[in-house]
Amino acid sequence: MEHKGTKRLETERLILRPFRLEDAESCVRNWAADPEVYRYISQEAQTAKDVYDWLSTADEAYASPETYYWAIVEKSKGEVIGEIFVDDFGSRNRWCELDWKIGRAFWGQGYAAEAAAAVIQYLFCQVGFHRIQAKCCVENSASERVMQKAGMTKEGILRGYFDAKDGRWRDVAMYAVLSSD
């Protein structure tokens, strides 16, 4: 396995690339500040200041070849509509976990699955991961569909996996795909 970091990827409708400071406005407008985007995760929606502060330090993160964090840019408008990134990885066993967020105005159009498929291809073919996994709250059927469309197989349910913002313990569905699939 050879870490290569966040490289520019392109699909039919999307460009996946490193974030830039000038992305702040479209991030806030399209997804980062929308509480509905964060409905099924433990994170909170971000303020414009949060987004600016985070993007101000992005270059430092991208200096590491172990950073895999893409802005999802819709080609037709040139707007950042979401993010996709490797959230965790076990280098010794060559696995990683993929996560994404897409703005509500772009839900149901296949963008997340298109981005996930491109990143999965890159992580298998260019970096050399053996296993890529993703998980979501069992209530989040849209995210489950993204995983299925991206070629992942449901492996099971992790019961009481995380404490949601509402104080309830949530079950999550675990999906994965292997390089040999």
Side-chain angles (χ1 to χ4, degrees), residues 42-56:
S42 57
Q43 297 171 317
E44 299 287 339
Q46 299 174 40
T47 65
K49 182 182 180 334
D50 294 335
V51 172
Y52 182 82
D53 289 348
W54 157 64
L55 291 177
S56 295

Side-chain angles (χ1 to χ4, degrees), residues 80-125:
V80 177
I81 63 169
E83 66 181 3
I84 186 163
F85 56 96
V86 172
D87 194 22
D88 192 11
F89 59 86
S91 290
R92 190 176 82 70
N93 291 313
R94 296 178 31 217
W95 66 270
C96 67
E97 186 161 308
L98 200 56
D99 198 354
W100 54 82
K101 294 179 196 74
I102 295 283
R104 193 178 347 176
F106 308 95
W107 289 355
Q109 298 175 50
Y111 289 121
E114 189 173 325
V119 170
I120 288 168
Q121 180 76 11
Y122 170 73
L123 294 172
F124 281 150
C125 297

Side-chain angles (χ1 to χ4, degrees), residues 9-162:
L9 307 174
E10 193 168 329
T11 69
E12 182 180 331
R13 301 179 298 161
L14 303 172
I15 294 171
L16 308 177
R17 59 155 175 81
F19 279 95
R20 302 185 290 241
L21 190 55
E22 57 266 25
D23 295 329
E25 186 179 318
S26 64
C27 289
V28 171
R29 180 178 54 255
N30 290 328
W31 63 275
D34 184 353
E36 191 61 22
V37 171
Y38 296 81
R39 179 177 177 194
Y40 294 112
I41 61 177
S42 57
Q43 297 171 317
E44 299 287 339
Q46 299 174 40
T47 65
K49 182 182 180 334
D50 294 335
V51 172
Y52 182 82
D53 289 348
W54 157 64
L55 291 177
S56 295
T57 64
D59 285 345
E60 295 169 32
Y62 288 126
S64 169
E66 293 183 359
T67 296
Y68 299 100
Y69 201 174
W70 291 268
I72 301 172
V73 180
E74 185 183 36
K75 279 183 184 177
S76 65
K77 294 189 172 117
E79 293 258 328
V80 177
I81 63 169
E83 66 181 3
I84 186 163
F85 56 96
V86 172
D87 194 22
D88 192 11
F89 59 86
S91 290
R92 190 176 82 70
N93 291 313
R94 296 178 31 217
W95 66 270
C96 67
E97 186 161 308
L98 200 56
D99 198 354
W100 54 82
K101 294 179 196 74
I102 295 283
R104 193 178 347 176
F106 308 95
W107 289 355
Q109 298 175 50
Y111 289 121
E114 189 173 325
V119 170
I120 288 168
Q121 180 76 11
Y122 170 73
L123 294 172
F124 281 150
C125 297
Q126 301 297 315
V127 181
F129 280 103
H130 164 70
R131 172 189 168 89
I132 300 170
Q133 64 188 39
K135 58 185 181 289
C136 68
C137 268
V138 295
E139 293 95 344
N140 191 349
S141 58
S143 243
E144 282 205 67
R145 282 192 304 278
V146 168
M147 291 182 249
Q148 293 161 0
K149 287 179 182 178
M152 296 180 143
T153 301
K154 188 173 189 175
E155 294 185 330
I157 303 296
L158 305 173
R159 297 178 310 123
Y161 189 78
F162 78 94

